[in-house]
Amino acid sequence: ESFPDPYEAKREVWIPFIESLGADESTVLVGHSSGAVAALRYAELHRLKAVVLVAATYTDLGDPGERASGYYPQQTSAGGKVTNPYDFAAMRANCPTWRQFHSNNDCFIPLEEAERIRDGLGLVSEEEYFMLPGRSHFFEPFPELL
């Protein structure tokens, strides 16, 4: 089954859709790009067996469409309060196993964005975080995922 709203990937659409699929503590949830951020947000609220993030970004990268999706933390003003922050502690509590894949030449998402997620989740092991050189935005399947 295809995800609804594939171009805007709105949180208000995707999270209920994942819920409707029955994702639970026996589910390994894999998300790519906007789907990776949806997986993060889903894990804030639901128990999962594992989450695999591919080409995940921490911020909306200044893109109005990404901002409108509703996933990303927003700063109210320069130096102001952050709204919609990630709850990395809840994510870790709800899901014991995490894997994250990113490339040093992703054409959309700078490596620093992925590193912020890595650090927020506390992925310190080489078994949890994989920086794979030269893979761009992972447009092709890759064996490390399996």
Side-chain angles (χ1 to χ4, degrees):
E1 185 169 353
S2 297
F3 267 69
D5 188 32
Y7 299 107
E8 295 181 350
K10 287 190 175 73
R11 182 180 185 174
E12 65 194 37
V13 175
W14 278 24
I15 298 302
F17 181 73
I18 297 169
E19 290 169 342
S20 77
L21 295 174
D24 62 17
E25 62 276 348
S26 64
T27 300
V28 176
L29 189 57
V30 180
H32 172 256
S33 200
S34 294
V37 184
L40 285 168
R41 292 301 192 172
Y42 190 84
E44 282 180 332
L45 304 171
H46 303 277
R47 297 194 55 77
L48 294 163
K49 182 175 184 175
V51 173
V52 180
L53 307 172
V54 180
T57 184
Y58 187 93
T59 70
D60 62 29
L61 298 169
D63 181 273
E66 289 294 327
R67 187 173 304 113
S69 70
Y71 293 113
Y72 304 98
Q74 299 296 315
Q75 195 157 1
T76 55
S77 62
K81 180 182 176 186
V82 173
T83 60
N84 198 28
Y86 292 114
D87 188 346
F88 289 113
M91 293 175 198
R92 288 301 296 217
N94 285 333
C95 180
T97 304
W98 291 82
R99 299 292 181 268
Q100 183 182 4
F101 296 90
H102 206 80
S103 182
N104 62 343
N105 70 336
D106 189 310
C107 55
F108 299 114
I109 302 169
L111 183 59
E112 296 77 22
E113 290 281 322
E115 290 171 340
R116 289 182 73 183
I117 291 172
R118 175 200 66 196
D119 296 345
L121 288 169
L123 305 180
V124 296
S125 161
E126 291 181 4
E127 299 296 317
E128 295 174 312
Y129 178 78
F130 303 86
M131 198 292 293
L132 303 178
R135 303 296 179 88
S136 186
H137 196 60
F138 297 93
F139 295 111
E140 301 295 327
F142 57 104
E144 294 87 352
L145 183 60
L146 303 176

